[in-house]
Structure formats: C-alpha cells, structure tokens
Amino acid sequence: MNKVRSLSLLLALCVAAEVPAQVQESLRSRDLQVLTGTPLEKQYEEMLQNYLQDQAAQLAAKGHDRMRAAQSPADFGRWQEETRRRFLELIGGLPTEKTPLNVRLTGEVRRDGYTIRKVIFESRPEFYVTANLYVPAIGTAPFPAVLAPCGHSLEGKAADTYQRLFIGLVKHGYVVLAYDALSQGERMQFWDFVFQHRGLVDKSNEHGLLGIRQMLLGQNLARELIWDGLRSLDYLTSLPEVDAARIGVTGNSGGGALTTYIALLDRRVKAASIVTFLSSIPKKIEARDMDSEADPEQDIQGLLGAGIDHAELVAMIAPRPVLIGAALRDFFPIEGTRQTYGELQKVYARLGASERLKMVAFDHEHKYSQPLREATTAWFDRWLKGQENEVHEPIIEVEQESTLWCTPTGQVVSSFGGKRLLDIHQAEAKRLAAELAKRRLQASFRRELAGKVRERLGLSSAPVEVRARALGEARSGDVIIEKLVLETEPGIVVPVRVLRPRGVAARRPTVVYLRDRDAAADDPYVLETLARRGWGVMVADVRGFGETTPHRQVADSRMYCFHPRDGKDADFAYAASSLGRPLLGMRVWDALHVMEYAQSRADVDPKRVVLVGRGWAGLTALFAAVLDGRVARIAVEGVPISYAELFSSEMYAQPASLVLPGALRDFDLEDVYGALAPRPLLVLNPEDAQTKKMFRAQAERALEPVRRNYEADAAAGHLQVAVAPSEREIEAGLTGWIGAAKTVQ
C-alpha cells in the first residue's frame, strides 16, 4: 500500500510541476505521421486484412494438398482419423462420460398427420436441453429420422423457417428432433430475473460472450454445442418409433456448422444436408465485414493452421451422402462454397461415390428457404428411403412460440434452474487454477515460463531480423523526428518515429512507446518533453494500430473498429486465431522487432531501454518484455491483471484481441508480470474484467502475487502500482516514472 501512496504523491507533483496548465505544443500529431499522406498510405491501409487473407489462402492450399495426397482408400481413411483427432484436440476434446439423459416429457401438441412432443433432457447433469419431437401419425414405425440443430435465432426451434422445415419433413414420413442450441429459444444463458427477459440485448450475442473467454481454457464453444447434438442423437436413436439405421441431420447457418461437426464425428449419421454454412475460411475472412457478430464455434482456434478448411470438414464425412445448400447472396461467400464443392468432388470421385455429393444454390440471401427445404427433403428421401421424389412443400401452419415451449416460463433458467454454461466454465477455470497453483511451487515453473509464453503466442523461435526503411525526417524546434518503417514479416510493416535532441550523438537512454489502438489518447507533448530532456523516444504502431488501423470497417455502423467483440479488430483476432497465430502474438512479434531495432542503433544505450505500452498495447509490451530480457524497465497502463478474473462474473469487456487461447493451462497474467522481477515495473491503472480502472486497494490486492515475486528477488521497491484518474495525471505519472530512471545505471 505504501508503494501506491508514494507513487500517487509522485503523480501529484508531476501534475503540478511538469505539465503546466497552459502549454503551447510545438510537436503536433501530424508531425508523427509516417505513412499518412505518402504513396505508402494506400499500400498499407488494409495491410492486416490483406495479410490475414494471404496467410489463410496459403494454409488452406497446404491443407488441400495433404488431403489430395491421400489417394488410396486406406490412406484416405488414415487421413480422416488423424484429421478428426486433430479437430477434437482443437476444440478441447469432448466430455468423457455420457451421463443419464433423464428425459422428461412435458406436453404434447396433436396436429393433422403428426404429433409434437415437448421434451427436456440433460446433456450433462442438470444441464437441460429443450426439444420438440415431431412424430408422424400416419405410416408404420420405425421411421427414418432427422436431427435438426437450429441456426442462430432468438426463437430457436420455434422460428418460422425452422418450423416449416420440421413440419414438411414429418408430413413426409420422418421423425424430427429439433432442439434449442445454447443461447437460443428456451436456453438463454444470461437472464434478467427482475424484469424477466434475456440479459443481453442489441448486438451483444451470448455465443461471443461465452466463447471468447472459453478459449483461455484451451477449449472452443463448438465443444459444448457438439456435445448437446451428440446427446440429442443418443435420445433420438433410442426411440422405438425411429429406425436408428436411417438417421439424417440438417441445419442452416450455425445449425449448418453443427450439422457438419456432428456428422464428421458420429457415424450414426447416414446422410447430411448442410445449408448456408459451407464456404471457405479464406473467403470468410475476406467477407467478414458483412457478418460482424462473434461466432467462436465457427472460428475454431488453430483450425486452418492444422490444415482443416471447410473442404476438409466435409471430407471427414465422406463417403456418406452430403447435400450442400447455398444462397447466392449470402454473407457466407458463394465463391468459397463453389471452391469447397470442387475440392469435395475430387474426394468423392476418388472414393467411387460421386453421386453421394450434391450442391444446390438459389438466388436469395442467408436463410433456409423453401427451395432449400425441398431439396433437403428430396435428398433424405433418396438416401434414407431409397426413393427419387420431386418434393413440393405442402401448405404449412406454424405454431405460436409459446405453444412449443417445453418449460412453463419459456426459459430453462427461470423454470428449472440447473447449470448454465458459465457455471461449467467457472468450474473448469477453478480446476485449472488449482493445477497452476501446484505447478508454481515447482522450481522449473518460472524457468520454463518464457517458453510457454512464446508457444501460446504462436511465435517462431527464429532470431528477430531488423529490416528498416528510412522515409525521411522532420523537425520540431530542437527535436529531430526520424520516420521509418520496420518490415517484421512479408506484408507487414511497423511505422516508427524516432525523436532525438538535435546535435546530440552520444548513446542515451531510450523509451520505446507502443501506441494504443488509433493513438487518439497519445499527447505529442509528452513525447517531445522526454526528447528535450535527453531521452531517445521511439514511437511505434504494431499491426492494426495507429497508422495501420484499417480503413475498411464492418457493415454494421454501430460496431466501431475497436468494439471488443464485434469490431474489425475483433474480426482480425478471430482470423488470426484460426491460423494458429493469435493476433496478440503477432503484435508481440512486431514489438520484438522494434526492440531489436532500438538495440541496433548507435545512439541508444542498450542497458537503459524502457518499454511502455498503453491500453490494448499494454499486454503487447508486457509479453515482449518477458521474451526480451534486455528491456531494462517496463511501464504499462490500462491493462488487465488476470485472465482468470474473466470467469469471476457473468459479464466482461476485455477485448477478443487480448485473449490468448489456452493460456490458463500454462500461466495467468500474474505469472507474466511476476516474471519481470527484478526489473523495475510500473503498473498504472490496472483494469478489472469490465475494463474499469481499479481503485487503489483493489489494485494492490490484485498485484499482491506479483509483489511476492519481487520480494523473493529482493526487489520489492522495483514494483510500483498506481492509479491516475485523468489523462493529465496518467501522462504525468508516466513521464515522472520514466524520468526518474535517468540516473539509474
């Protein structure tokens, strides 16, 4: 606590003495422009978007090559098994035990030619799944059956389009089990018990909120959604009315994703109709602007890096029959659908099963339209009944949503209670925390931490090579501003400005300053002040920040670039994660190049380099400092302190681009901060899960594990924790702390 008070006093003194109330700035924001207004601006304005598309295309091509190399049926079978195993690893595996379903029939609706049973079962203990079972009243059992995972819809299984599919199928002689996927229909996971409505409104979708932080556990939301589907299949195949040897599965959009996953994992599925989902990951990355909502279950971390694109997903189903249903004006790009279909045609031909693959496409937007529903029914007729039928959907009267409710209130959480997915995730987070606490006691933990960090960040162990390109100079009074770019990998440049006092050639202490997001909060006066006091100052924009902030944004105008879950930066994070290289890791890679460049300059004292990162660039600086021991001092501002804390409450606002998949299996952020000991560290305005600045006592408590690390290294005085409410105080605190280092050798 004393450390907080002492630095608070320093902040107050700095505000009073170092930042006069009225100062005429000589250095302006435009003086720091490196790319803007030059021919390079156009070249790099969509740098990160283009880079991710190119990387995705290369990985997809490699994956296709591996699949094509499996020419013989035996080789292809081995490829399927290995790829299926890798898919399961990427989603975090499946639950190991199939517990009793404890099926409850809560009602029945009788209609002309069919009956709708209202069913609730437990896919896990006290984790309730609501479903409608459509059973033909005409014909002789056992009937062929269709499992229908629903795509994204607030009404879930009661959505108008979906009801038309189910009723059309049951009237055609199929038993249909339609269940609510997580966060749809009667299975909302966030609920306002006071006003009795769903807890998330507008564009805040539950899948994004649940699935983004789940990645920290080394899992993907697809794991939970698939398990519900497999347990639904267990129930469906157990029914006496169902012929378990004739099972189909179909869904569109998110339901199309689940159709794909369930079919590739469970051979009980004899035919599939995948509607308005299949495209290709590179094409989805290219067109992601059109669909800004986070769908973690469709953005599986490392999927493309493992050589699995949409073609490979379906190839794991082969040679079983698959119908691909597409919409020409979908935000799942039709170009990608056609490419995937072309790859799959070769696969099915090699297996002697060309007739078992078909694609249909209709001229409309994203929906399970009547033509697609008719095509699905005809497909199932062919492969589950052995009939070639021309299907025409009958006149259908759909039910009111409440008529199909399985629960009294229309929500599991307010009727049955039970577990929510957050409860399951919290239990897993606690389990991992307990394991981590044990490993921290081992002497090897701290020694091996940097390697674990590098692995989770997806960074190469290759040495960092500096490729700098000078772009000119400018002057502001007696301060020279060098402008250059660093190429950190093909297609990626980091704009850098080097501020130095004119006429001073000696080696000097240097600040490397990583700008936050669009750099709007960065005051040029602070940077100029440091330069006038004899510091070298390097101001850098890691990819996607500052002057490389993308011009192109998502189609929904409400979603600004840095919206934590649905903005363009978040889209970049999802794309990068699918490559197996988290966006946070890419930005750390950029920062390591800036540090290497600083060390290479003749006017930099290599033993007195200070690394500063603010806001979303703060964790970039933190991880870079852990991986580069030459950094003498580190200051971060506006940063989270713990990944585990994201599981402590329902809501969180930390952005997707700061989430590091699988991190909690190896370390938490407190370990990363602690690994910097005994080097001086300033943590200014640490944030909670909601991105709220912590108050002083809260900040001190949160960083107590880090302080213990510093005390163990006899360096307790080297850790300073502070809170600074205003921007003026933040800037004063940073300049004061940095300036105090000038006398330290």
Side-chain angles (χ1 to χ4, degrees), residues 440-459:
R440 287 185 182 120
L441 301 176
Q442 300 171 4
S444 61
F445 179 79
R446 192 169 175 184
R447 184 174 65 251
E448 296 172 353
L449 182 62
K452 295 290 187 182
V453 166
R454 184 176 289 274
E455 182 181 353
R456 288 297 176 189
L457 289 170
L459 295 182

Side-chain angles (χ1 to χ4, degrees), residues 495-678:
V496 177
R497 310 102 186 135
V498 181
L499 282 63
R500 55 180 173 81
R502 185 162 60 95
V504 179
R507 287 183 180 270
R508 65 181 68 83
T510 298
V511 176
V512 174
Y513 187 99
L514 305 182
R515 297 206 296 181
D516 178 27
R517 283 167 283 186
D518 61 5
D522 295 315
D523 187 350
Y525 173 76
V526 173
L527 307 173
E528 185 179 35
T529 297
L530 289 169
R532 292 187 189 284
R533 292 177 182 172
W535 283 82
V537 182
M538 292 189 187
V539 184
D541 300 335
V542 295
R543 67 188 74 189
F545 285 176
E547 287 191 87
T548 61
T549 298
H551 289 213
R552 194 172 119 196
Q553 299 299 322
V554 299
D556 189 333
S557 60
R558 295 172 296 176
M559 298 297 116
Y560 57 97
C561 180
F562 296 106
H563 184 283
R565 290 193 297 276
D566 295 327
K568 189 66 177 178
D569 187 74
D571 284 353
F572 289 156
Y574 308 140
S577 180
S578 73
L579 306 181
R581 296 177 55 210
L583 182 56
L584 179 57
M586 293 180 179
R587 286 171 170 158
V588 172
W589 184 248
D590 293 344
L592 291 173
H593 279 74
V594 179
M595 296 304 302
E596 189 67 31
Y597 173 70
Q599 292 286 336
S600 73
R601 285 182 63 105
D603 58 354
V604 171
D605 183 343
K607 295 182 179 180
R608 290 194 290 171
V609 176
V610 179
L611 180 57
V612 177
R614 291 193 60 184
W616 290 16
L619 284 193
T620 299
L622 177 72
F623 282 116
V626 167
L627 297 178
D628 190 338
R630 297 171 298 179
V631 178
R633 295 164 65 89
I634 306 96
V636 291
E637 188 274 329
V639 289
I641 299 302
S642 168
Y643 278 142
E645 199 215 352
L646 270 63
F647 295 91
S648 64
S649 62
E650 283 193 343
M651 304 298 293
Y652 66 95
Q654 291 294 346
S657 59
L658 295 189
V659 168
L660 189 57
L664 288 176
R665 291 183 174 270
D666 293 324
F667 55 82
D668 200 350
L669 290 177
E670 68 182 60
D671 303 302
V672 184
Y673 286 104
L676 297 174

Side-chain angles (χ1 to χ4, degrees), residues 366-386:
H366 184 76
K367 61 182 177 180
Y368 208 145
S369 64
Q370 180 175 334
L372 286 169
R373 297 193 297 267
E374 292 171 342
T376 291
T377 303
W379 187 251
F380 287 147
D381 278 356
R382 181 178 181 186
W383 296 107
L384 300 181
K385 292 183 178 180

Side-chain angles (χ1 to χ4, degrees), residues 371-526:
L372 286 169
R373 297 193 297 267
E374 292 171 342
T376 291
T377 303
W379 187 251
F380 287 147
D381 278 356
R382 181 178 181 186
W383 296 107
L384 300 181
K385 292 183 178 180
Q387 300 173 359
E388 295 279 357
N389 293 324
E390 185 176 337
V391 175
H392 299 283
E393 187 173 270
I395 295 174
I396 289 173
E397 293 185 12
V398 300
E399 307 290 344
Q400 293 293 320
E401 183 179 357
S402 58
T403 302
L404 299 176
W405 283 353
C406 304
T407 59
T409 63
Q411 285 297 321
V412 164
V413 69
S414 58
S415 294
F416 277 53
K419 294 179 181 178
R420 298 169 304 162
L421 189 55
L422 175 59
D423 301 316
I424 294 172
H425 288 172
Q426 286 176 329
E428 177 65 7
K430 288 179 181 177
R431 185 187 72 80
L432 292 177
E435 289 185 357
L436 192 54
K438 293 177 183 177
R439 292 203 300 276
R440 287 185 182 120
L441 301 176
Q442 300 171 4
S444 61
F445 179 79
R446 192 169 175 184
R447 184 174 65 251
E448 296 172 353
L449 182 62
K452 295 290 187 182
V453 166
R454 184 176 289 274
E455 182 181 353
R456 288 297 176 189
L457 289 170
L459 295 182
S460 166
S461 58
V464 172
E465 297 181 5
V466 175
R467 293 182 292 275
R469 177 184 174 187
L471 297 178
E473 288 187 357
R475 277 183 55 182
S476 176
D478 58 355
V479 174
I480 302 296
I481 308 153
E482 297 179 35
K483 301 182 179 184
L484 60 125
V485 292
L486 300 178
E487 184 184 47
T488 61
E489 54 184 309
I492 295 292
V493 298
V494 175
V496 177
R497 310 102 186 135
V498 181
L499 282 63
R500 55 180 173 81
R502 185 162 60 95
V504 179
R507 287 183 180 270
R508 65 181 68 83
T510 298
V511 176
V512 174
Y513 187 99
L514 305 182
R515 297 206 296 181
D516 178 27
R517 283 167 283 186
D518 61 5
D522 295 315
D523 187 350
Y525 173 76
V526 173

